[in-house]
Amino acid sequence: MKVSVVSSVCLVSTILLSTVGTASSSLVGSIRAAAASRNTNNDTLLSSLYSANARKNKNHEKVLVFVLAGQSNMEGHGEVNTTNTTTSKLLNGTLMYQLLDPRTRDEFGVLWDSSKSNWNVWKNIKMWFNEAGTEMGNNGSKIPGIPNQDYSAGDLTVGYGTGGPVGNGNNFIGPELGFGIGLGFPKDQRVLIIKTAWGGKSIAHDFRPPSSTRMANGDPYCQPPDCDPTQVGHYYQMMIQNVNRIMAPGVIGEMYPDLANLDPEIAGFGWFQGWNDGCSLNDTAAYETNMVNLIQDLREEWNAPHLPVNIALSGFDGFTNVESKRQPQDCWDGPNASKINCDCGPQDHGCRRIDIVLSQFGAANLTRHPELECCVVASETRGFWREAEYSPNKNQGYHFYHNAETHFLVGKAMGRAMVKAISEQQNYIWKKEKMISTDSTIHQVEK
């Protein structure tokens, strides 16, 4: 069994799992039966189907495993409860500020347990994160090991941002919190989120997938001495190693006793990354190819040819008009495109930031990449950008100024996009099964 992930400052310019094969027949059957319901919200439908599937198959109840990967913004720098050191007032953009602000409290109310005057805890959603205090797991994590020493693990709540609960004192979140809520699964569905993320990493180098090392015509954007086209990324390998160890028989039950005797199943892969690649014209130009290769390699590694995948757009600076300033206009995606001679004006020299976004959209476009077949969804995040004046940290734009609203909404969008990707997977498998069944019937008639 093969098993097989990934943040942040370009030198100041500067969501694994086991095998996911086909969906269970009872789940596919439930989707078939429900397909006629035109008025049922898809998110609600899918959540109820998972719940129904679990209840009907108690002896084979699943733990749905999602791998989230990326660099520092997947680690998470959204601040939870930081106050002004002079006035002691909550800083704008913290999670508590959003909870108390009349303009946003309805969105964030789900996070608060008023009966305990504390942040909610989702006991049906487990977290695993390679960071715990000063332990980053740069060369792989000790699994199974000691929680909050060798890695961070527990029930989903605040604190699983950079450094984990021990390292950040429960004062940072990443996208994982919104992701778990965005999935919208009922409380009887067990979920494990494996987050593998390290700061300052690129897909061109650190997460370079195997397929990018064996391209038929080579990689024109990866050449020595700046880039080794033959080297699989170290952090790609560490992601695979961590997921292999977690998915080994009995390990999840040892780490999370209430998940013992349940079968883990890879349910999806989520990616939130892009800053470091956008620091280089060559890495930006290669991004779409590397992203497609990453998806294909993970699907092969996990024996999951239709693994649901979500790519969250990098989203820096929000929506801008830099595309209108592109020169030459066909430098990115035209017959004369070189991808490295573009310019979009002073706000985006080299069009690096917008071209990372276009590459992420491109990788999820099945017309451009029919080899992916299905189930890849890009989620828009640019609307979640918040300026420094509305954020706890005024300097780190590459960390979204530590804005917790941004981190939460990105994660929630990822969760919803993952549900869409899962739905596409089920429909795709259903159609393939139907075609095979029809072909078989025709063959029998012809005989």
Side-chain angles (χ1 to χ4, degrees), residues 55-116:
R55 285 193 293 271
K56 292 177 182 178
N57 298 276
K58 278 297 181 183
N59 293 331
H60 302 285
E61 189 174 349
K62 301 291 185 183
V63 178
L64 300 181
V65 182
F66 295 92
V67 175
L68 302 183
Q71 56 179 118
S72 61
N73 291 308
M74 179 57 83
E75 285 178 296
H77 289 77
E79 298 192 31
V80 174
N81 200 31
T82 310
T83 58
N84 184 294
T85 56
T86 302
T87 66
S88 297
K89 291 183 178 180
L90 280 168
L91 295 180
N92 199 342
T94 60
L95 203 62
M96 182 62 82
Y97 187 98
Q98 305 306 139
L99 178 68
L100 298 177
D101 190 330
R103 297 167 295 183
T104 55
R105 62 187 175 198
D106 288 344
E107 176 81 57
F108 289 85
V110 67
L111 301 176
W112 190 252
D113 184 344
S114 57
S115 67
K116 297 181 179 179

Side-chain angles (χ1 to χ4, degrees), residues 125-167:
I125 304 177
K126 306 300 181 184
M127 273 298 304
W128 185 94
F129 180 28
N130 53 271
E131 296 184 358
T134 58
E135 174 54 59
M136 300 290 104
N138 287 313
N139 292 303
S141 300
K142 183 180 179 181
I143 302 169
I146 302 174
N148 298 319
Q149 176 177 308
D150 299 315
Y151 49 77
S152 296
D155 299 328
L156 180 64
T157 186
V158 302
Y160 284 98
T162 183
V166 169

Side-chain angles (χ1 to χ4, degrees), residues 40 58 133 152 159 284 393:
T40 303
K58 278 297 181 183
S152 296
T284 299
N393 184 297

Side-chain angles (χ1 to χ4, degrees), residues 13 275 278 316-317 320-327 342-354:
S13 176
W275 177 267
F316 295 108
D317 296 321
T320 66
N321 65 346
V322 297
E323 182 62 35
S324 65
K325 301 175 183 178
R326 181 184 295 273
Q327 293 295 331
C342 306
D343 194 69
C344 292
Q347 189 176 354
D348 191 1
H349 287 299
C351 304
R352 295 166 298 145
R353 294 299 160 204
I354 186 61

Side-chain angles (χ1 to χ4, degrees), residues 283-298:
D283 293 354
T284 299
Y287 197 97
E288 183 175 344
T289 297
N290 285 328
M291 189 75 243
V292 171
N293 286 342
L294 178 67
I295 293 169
Q296 290 184 301
D297 288 345
L298 291 180

